Amino acid sequence: MGALSGQFAVVTGAGSGIGKAIAQALGSQGATVCLVGRTRQKLEATATTLAHSAPPAVVLPADLVSDEQMDALQEELQRRFGQVNVLVLCAGEIAHGSVESAPVETFDKLYQANVRGNFRLIQLLLPLLKKGRGHIVVINSSVGLSSRPNVGQFSATQHALKAVTDALRAEVNDHGIRVLSVHPGRVATPRMEAMYKKDGKEYKPEFLLQPEDLASVVVSVVILPRTAEVTDLSIRPALKSY
Ligand SMILES: NC(=O)c1ccc[n+]([C@@H]2O[C@H](COP(=O)([O-])OP(=O)(O)OC[C@H]3O[C@@H](n4cnc5c(N)ncnc54)[C@H](OP(=O)(O)O)[C@@H]3O)[C@@H](O)[C@H]2O)c1
């Protein structure tokens, strides 16, 4: 019996990277995990890794930027579970580029996924989270706290997501819902590897945070007694020189 036995968790971006590691960690604590992302095969691969250590995972492919698909996801979660105890928002888009040169269309795309998509999914799932006295975990970014060159568009969406997260916490705490905003530095995931390749830099994942590092800290917060709420969490690679 794990600390989350009998609980229902929903993890977006569960097909790879941080979301996959968090889904595995929640499952290993006994939660039934619903895996969300656009690519069914990636979600099924995550479900397979959970098969021996957790209750069977539920694979529900859906695109954060599609209102229809998010509505269908909400209906399916209502039908299958009737409540949500843990919601981890880990899906999103990234793009680099200077304010001078980055296409504004890219900004729109980042906003659609990272801000509007997450905002609407939270809205849709709040009734189920209220029933489950749930924990909402928003995987934000270190650049959701302070910006730097060439990440202005992404950083702006993450600052907006932080604003939504903070407002939400103040609105739902009285319903027994806790809200955590996580701000990681660089994590060794497929996304990070692709970014290093694109920039022509050698990729050394062993020098970065590991997805399991984040999963471990998220689970430790989620299983805290109800008397405690962690609101914001910054975590970065121990090695600064890489
Ligand atoms: N890696 C880092 O260094 C780092 C640092 C700080 C913050 N973060 C944040 O952590 C989160 C996860 O990043 P990661 O590095 O683990 O990236 P990743 O390996 O690329 O995982 C992101 C996942 O999100 C899914 N996804 C993307 N767009 C989606 C959409 N519109 N609807 C549904 N699912 C979608 C992707 O699967 P499909 O393509 O199949 O949909 C993918 O499995 C991101 O929000 C990122 O901003 C990452």
Side-chain angles (χ1 to χ4, degrees), residues 120-159:
R120 190 155 187 280
L121 182 56
I122 291 167
Q123 279 188 330
L124 285 169
L125 295 189
L126 265 183
L128 297 182
L129 284 155
K130 283 180 185 172
K131 275 193 199 143
R133 300 188 75 220
H135 211 135
I136 301 172
V137 178
V138 182
I139 305 299
N140 197 303
S141 167
S142 57
V143 301
L145 297 174
S146 60
S147 197
R148 53 184 166 78
N150 294 316
V151 296
Q153 299 180 89
F154 176 64
S155 178
T157 64
Q158 300 311 100
H159 275 74

XYZ file of all heavy atoms in Angstrom, residues 120-159:
305
model
N -7.528 26.531 -19.294
C -8.822 25.907 -19.590
C -8.933 24.510 -18.984
O -9.990 24.119 -18.480
C -9.036 25.861 -21.107
C -10.452 25.440 -21.457
C -10.918 25.913 -22.796
N -12.330 25.586 -22.936
C -12.772 24.381 -23.258
N -11.911 23.396 -23.471
N -14.058 24.133 -23.350
N -7.827 23.758 -19.002
C -7.873 22.416 -18.408
C -8.129 22.507 -16.902
O -8.918 21.726 -16.346
C -6.565 21.658 -18.703
C -6.507 20.230 -18.164
C -7.672 19.380 -18.665
C -5.181 19.565 -18.526
N -7.488 23.473 -16.250
C -7.745 23.658 -14.807
C -9.226 23.971 -14.591
O -9.883 23.378 -13.729
C -6.859 24.791 -14.230
C -5.385 24.373 -14.217
C -7.312 25.155 -12.827
C -4.415 25.517 -13.965
N -9.767 24.902 -15.410
C -11.190 25.252 -15.276
C -12.075 24.013 -15.382
O -12.968 23.788 -14.583
C -11.608 26.214 -16.400
C -11.249 27.657 -16.173
C -11.878 28.559 -17.227
O -12.093 28.147 -18.371
N -12.150 29.788 -16.842
N -11.781 23.202 -16.405
C -12.614 22.023 -16.657
C -12.548 21.015 -15.514
O -13.538 20.356 -15.196
C -12.167 21.329 -17.956
C -12.551 22.010 -19.265
C -11.811 21.355 -20.427
C -14.065 21.915 -19.483
N -11.358 20.891 -14.903
C -11.170 19.829 -13.902
C -11.425 20.298 -12.473
O -11.428 19.469 -11.559
C -9.766 19.220 -14.027
C -9.480 18.482 -15.346
C -8.152 17.750 -15.271
C -10.606 17.496 -15.696
N -11.675 21.591 -12.268
C -11.861 22.065 -10.888
C -13.003 21.362 -10.151
O -12.844 21.013 -8.975
C -12.060 23.582 -10.857
C -10.781 24.384 -10.602
C -11.083 25.878 -10.509
C -10.053 23.934 -9.330
N -14.146 21.106 -10.798
C -15.203 20.378 -10.049
C -14.721 19.007 -9.568
O -15.018 18.609 -8.438
C -16.330 20.242 -11.090
C -16.112 21.377 -12.042
C -14.614 21.546 -12.123
N -13.948 18.311 -10.392
C -13.434 16.994 -9.993
C -12.355 17.139 -8.918
O -12.231 16.304 -8.015
C -12.856 16.249 -11.201
C -13.846 15.918 -12.323
C -13.154 15.147 -13.437
C -15.000 15.097 -11.784
N -11.565 18.203 -9.007
C -10.520 18.446 -7.994
C -11.151 18.821 -6.657
O -10.656 18.431 -5.594
C -9.578 19.553 -8.478
C -8.587 19.107 -9.561
C -8.137 20.279 -10.425
C -7.358 18.439 -8.920
N -12.242 19.550 -6.698
C -12.930 19.898 -5.442
C -13.441 18.623 -4.766
O -13.314 18.460 -3.554
C -14.086 20.864 -5.714
C -13.617 22.291 -5.954
C -14.790 23.224 -6.213
C -14.301 24.618 -6.561
N -15.372 25.506 -7.007
N -14.009 17.729 -5.587
C -14.503 16.461 -5.008
C -13.354 15.670 -4.383
O -13.515 15.024 -3.358
C -15.161 15.615 -6.102
C -16.597 15.972 -6.328
C -17.299 14.921 -7.173
C -18.556 15.529 -7.760
N -18.858 15.088 -9.105
N -12.178 15.708 -5.038
C -11.042 14.914 -4.560
C -10.162 15.660 -3.566
O -9.130 15.135 -3.153
N -10.556 16.897 -3.195
C -9.679 17.754 -2.359
C -8.249 17.633 -2.891
O -7.314 17.252 -2.185
C -9.776 17.368 -0.886
C -11.198 17.512 -0.323
C -11.244 17.311 1.169
N -10.702 18.467 1.875
C -9.928 18.396 2.967
N -9.602 17.236 3.460
N -9.484 19.484 3.551
N -8.127 17.990 -4.166
C -6.936 17.631 -4.935
C -5.722 18.517 -4.721
O -5.772 19.566 -4.078
N -4.631 18.046 -5.295
C -3.368 18.777 -5.296
C -3.059 19.114 -6.757
O -3.006 18.210 -7.599
C -2.264 17.880 -4.724
C -1.204 18.633 -4.011
N -0.697 18.244 -2.795
C -0.535 19.774 -4.339
C 0.232 19.102 -2.404
N 0.352 20.031 -3.319
N -2.867 20.392 -7.060
C -2.520 20.796 -8.428
C -1.030 21.135 -8.453
O -0.564 21.959 -7.655
C -3.354 22.021 -8.875
C -4.852 21.697 -8.807
C -2.970 22.445 -10.298
C -5.753 22.909 -9.040
N -0.307 20.495 -9.355
C 1.137 20.729 -9.484
C 1.394 21.299 -10.881
O 1.103 20.639 -11.889
C 1.933 19.421 -9.301
C 3.432 19.679 -9.483
C 1.651 18.809 -7.933
N 1.909 22.511 -10.935
C 2.175 23.155 -12.222
C 3.684 23.140 -12.453
O 4.440 23.766 -11.699
C 1.646 24.607 -12.236
C 1.902 25.248 -13.602
C 0.163 24.641 -11.885
N 4.123 22.412 -13.477
C 5.553 22.406 -13.799
C 5.827 23.638 -14.650
O 5.497 23.674 -15.843
C 5.983 21.112 -14.519
C 5.586 19.869 -13.697
C 7.494 21.145 -14.782
C 6.207 19.780 -12.303
N 6.382 24.655 -14.024
C 6.676 25.909 -14.695
C 8.142 25.880 -15.131
O 8.585 24.884 -15.705
C 6.336 27.069 -13.737
C 6.207 28.401 -14.425
O 7.132 28.860 -15.096
N 5.071 29.049 -14.265
N 8.924 26.877 -14.853
C 10.322 26.919 -15.293
C 11.056 27.976 -14.473
O 10.415 28.897 -13.935
C 10.382 27.294 -16.776
O 11.713 27.635 -17.143
N 12.387 27.877 -14.430
C 13.144 28.951 -13.769
C 12.897 30.278 -14.475
O 12.906 31.337 -13.851
C 14.639 28.607 -13.754
O 15.100 28.389 -15.063
N 12.636 30.232 -15.794
C 12.399 31.498 -16.505
C 10.954 31.989 -16.331
O 10.574 33.003 -16.892
C 12.790 31.425 -18.011
C 14.254 31.071 -18.165
C 11.888 30.517 -18.790
N 10.170 31.266 -15.532
C 8.866 31.777 -15.100
C 9.014 32.716 -13.905
O 8.048 33.320 -13.460
N 10.250 32.836 -13.387
C 10.527 33.735 -12.260
C 11.373 34.921 -12.682
O 11.206 36.022 -12.202
C 11.246 32.964 -11.140
C 10.457 31.820 -10.501
C 11.325 31.052 -9.512
C 9.202 32.347 -9.801
N 12.342 34.674 -13.600
C 13.140 35.789 -14.133
C 13.593 35.420 -15.541
O 13.924 34.261 -15.799
C 14.345 36.077 -13.232
O 15.161 34.935 -13.159
N 13.634 36.414 -16.406
C 13.911 36.136 -17.816
C 15.391 36.333 -18.135
O 16.177 36.798 -17.303
C 13.051 37.038 -18.694
O 13.024 36.523 -20.006
N 15.767 35.920 -19.349
C 17.145 36.119 -19.822
C 17.109 36.195 -21.346
O 16.043 35.931 -21.943
C 18.064 35.007 -19.303
C 17.598 33.611 -19.576
C 18.533 32.581 -18.936
N 17.946 31.258 -18.894
C 17.863 30.412 -19.904
N 18.315 30.749 -21.098
N 17.300 29.225 -19.744
N 18.244 36.508 -21.979
C 18.208 36.696 -23.434
C 17.724 35.451 -24.178
O 18.006 34.325 -23.778
C 19.682 36.981 -23.784
C 20.275 37.514 -22.526
C 19.569 36.819 -21.408
N 16.995 35.690 -25.255
C 16.549 34.654 -26.192
C 15.456 33.719 -25.679
O 15.137 32.731 -26.334
C 17.734 33.815 -26.702
C 18.660 34.646 -27.551
O 18.198 35.421 -28.405
N 19.950 34.545 -27.309
N 14.882 34.022 -24.524
C 13.739 33.217 -24.070
C 12.536 34.109 -23.745
O 11.633 33.694 -23.029
C 14.084 32.328 -22.845
C 15.128 31.302 -23.171
C 14.484 33.169 -21.638
N 12.518 35.318 -24.283
C 11.488 36.292 -23.910
C 10.072 35.784 -24.094
O 9.221 35.949 -23.202
N 9.797 35.133 -25.224
C 8.421 34.680 -25.483
C 8.029 33.556 -24.525
O 6.963 33.594 -23.911
C 8.299 34.179 -26.922
C 8.592 35.243 -27.950
C 8.444 34.671 -29.354
O 7.365 34.692 -29.922
N 9.519 34.147 -29.888
N 8.920 32.558 -24.411
C 8.634 31.435 -23.519
C 8.520 31.939 -22.073
O 7.581 31.587 -21.345
C 9.738 30.376 -23.637
C 9.599 29.227 -22.685
C 8.501 28.371 -22.770
C 10.541 28.996 -21.688
C 8.355 27.309 -21.874
C 10.407 27.948 -20.796
C 9.317 27.099 -20.889
N 9.458 32.789 -21.686
C 9.464 33.316 -20.322
C 8.172 34.093 -20.033
O 7.614 33.996 -18.930
C 10.689 34.215 -20.149
O 10.717 34.772 -18.876
N 7.676 34.829 -21.021
C 6.430 35.588 -20.825
C 5.262 34.636 -20.567
O 4.423 34.893 -19.683
C 6.147 36.455 -22.049
N 5.196 33.527 -21.300
C 4.088 32.586 -21.062
C 4.227 31.941 -19.683
O 3.231 31.675 -19.016
C 3.995 31.493 -22.145
O 5.169 30.655 -22.141
C 3.812 32.095 -23.531
N 5.477 31.705 -19.250
C 5.660 31.061 -17.938
C 5.367 32.042 -16.800
O 4.863 31.634 -15.755
C 7.080 30.478 -17.824
C 7.414 29.414 -18.883
C 6.342 28.337 -19.006
O 5.513 28.365 -19.911
N 6.325 27.395 -18.098
N 5.678 33.336 -16.999
C 5.272 34.331 -16.003
C 3.743 34.401 -15.925
O 3.170 34.518 -14.830
C 5.837 35.715 -16.352
C 7.230 35.956 -15.862
N 8.351 35.363 -16.443
C 7.706 36.714 -14.837
C 9.442 35.764 -15.789
N 9.081 36.580 -14.817
